[in-house]
Amino acid sequence: MKVFVVSATPEANSFVASMARSSVETMRALGHDVVHSDLYAMGWNPVASAADFGSRANGDYLTYALEQRHNVAERTIAADIRAELDKLMAADLLILNFPIYWFSTPAILKGWIDRVLVSGLCYGGRRIYDKGGMVGKRAFVGLTLGGREHMFGEGAIHGPIEHLLKPLVQGTLGYVGYDVIKPFIGWHIPYITPEARAGILADYEACLHKLDSRPILPMPSMETFNADMSPRAPAERPLAEEERQAP
């Protein structure tokens, strides 16, 4: 299996950096072919702009997604994007390691998503969710939080963690077609003892060994929506597998 690890942390000695090293080393020890993009070490440019395009479908007005489609087809997209896109498309499994910043990803990782998950190839029109460009591939998120676990959930101060992660887990990874494996969360990382952090890192490594049995998060199915994305009436929806097999 080909694995692509993308990590985003400004500190080479951070816990997230240790998670990323574990992602690489554990997957390699399991016999997989692994490549790693350490975005800060690479000096990744997170700014999506006209400079990403060597040619233009419309030189008068920049519609970034449409220029992505054009430049991928013409092979005139920026070299740094092309290199990451090649890694992405070759990989069977994408692993993201990062700390949560302001209920979101670090800006450098958001910029990687903006520039690399290109329109036309990864998604477009009705080519989303189970019809997206990354169908047949898996994605896994291993992240850290400063908050404690009891701060998230129904009735908790920040609400369910699923709500915080939805823009990434569904709105990005699920949207382009990945089977999204249930994320791993390292809670309260900056404030706990080194021994506690070591225990969480060991739990993360154990999780990596068992990814095949970890739950896949539910995502929308395009078969339950009309061409205009409005929901189909229940009678018009295709039967689920268990319903088709019922006597």
Side-chain angles (χ1 to χ4, degrees):
M1 181 172 68
K2 293 183 181 296
V3 180
F4 184 20
V5 178
V6 179
S7 62
T9 174
E11 174 51 64
N13 295 313
S14 69
F15 187 83
V16 167
S18 295
M19 291 180 78
R21 285 190 291 271
S22 179
S23 296
V24 173
E25 294 167 3
T26 301
M27 289 291 111
R28 284 180 178 160
L30 290 171
H32 304 305
D33 182 5
V34 183
V35 293
H36 178 204
S37 287
D38 179 338
L39 299 184
Y40 279 93
M42 293 164 59
W44 175 259
N45 171 21
V47 180
S49 73
D52 292 340
F53 309 122
S55 65
R56 292 287 294 275
N58 183 343
D60 297 324
Y61 187 90
L62 177 64
T63 302
Y64 192 81
L66 297 182
E67 295 297 343
Q68 285 181 319
R69 297 185 189 191
H70 170 74
N71 279 261
V72 168
E74 295 297 314
R75 300 197 66 82
T76 50
I77 201 157
D80 60 342
I81 298 175
R82 182 75 257 175
E84 294 302 287
L85 193 54
D86 288 345
K87 299 174 193 175
L88 185 75
M89 299 309 295
D92 306 296
L93 171 66
L94 172 67
I95 298 178
L96 302 180
N97 293 133
F98 61 91
I100 288 289
Y101 287 176
W102 292 107
F103 277 36
S104 186
T105 63
I108 198 169
L109 178 56
K110 180 58 167 63
W112 182 89
I113 291 167
D114 290 347
R115 297 180 70 219
V116 176
L117 297 187
V118 295
S119 177
L121 187 59
C122 297
Y123 72 98
R126 287 182 60 83
R127 291 184 63 250
I128 57 175
Y129 294 118
D130 56 344
K131 303 296 183 183
M134 312 309 281
V135 166
K137 301 173 181 288
R138 296 182 298 160
F140 175 60
V141 174
L143 61 90
T144 64
L145 278 170
R148 299 175 185 270
E149 190 169 2
H150 69 258
M151 297 176 178
F152 295 87
E154 293 293 343
I157 188 167
H158 297 314
I161 189 68
E162 293 80 9
H163 292 184
L164 183 151
L165 296 179
K166 186 174 182 177
L168 174 65
V169 169
Q170 177 176 335
T172 303
L173 300 174
Y175 188 87
V176 299
Y178 280 111
D179 286 334
V180 184
I181 301 167
K182 181 181 177 181
F184 179 95
I185 301 170
W187 301 96
H188 207 46
I189 292 297
Y191 311 108
I192 58 179
T193 65
E195 293 76 17
R197 284 194 289 271
I200 292 172
L201 187 62
D203 290 342
Y204 179 66
E205 292 172 354
C207 177
L208 291 171
H209 278 88
K210 298 178 180 178
L211 286 186
D212 288 345
S213 60
R214 197 167 176 86
I216 300 295
L217 301 182
M219 295 292 164
S221 170
M222 295 303 292
E223 292 186 347
T224 63
F225 294 87
N226 297 309
D228 65 354
M229 302 294 186
S230 61
R232 287 186 181 179
E236 298 174 338
R237 297 179 183 180
L239 294 176
E241 181 65 27
E242 59 270 19
E243 294 174 311
R244 291 197 298 269
Q245 295 178 357

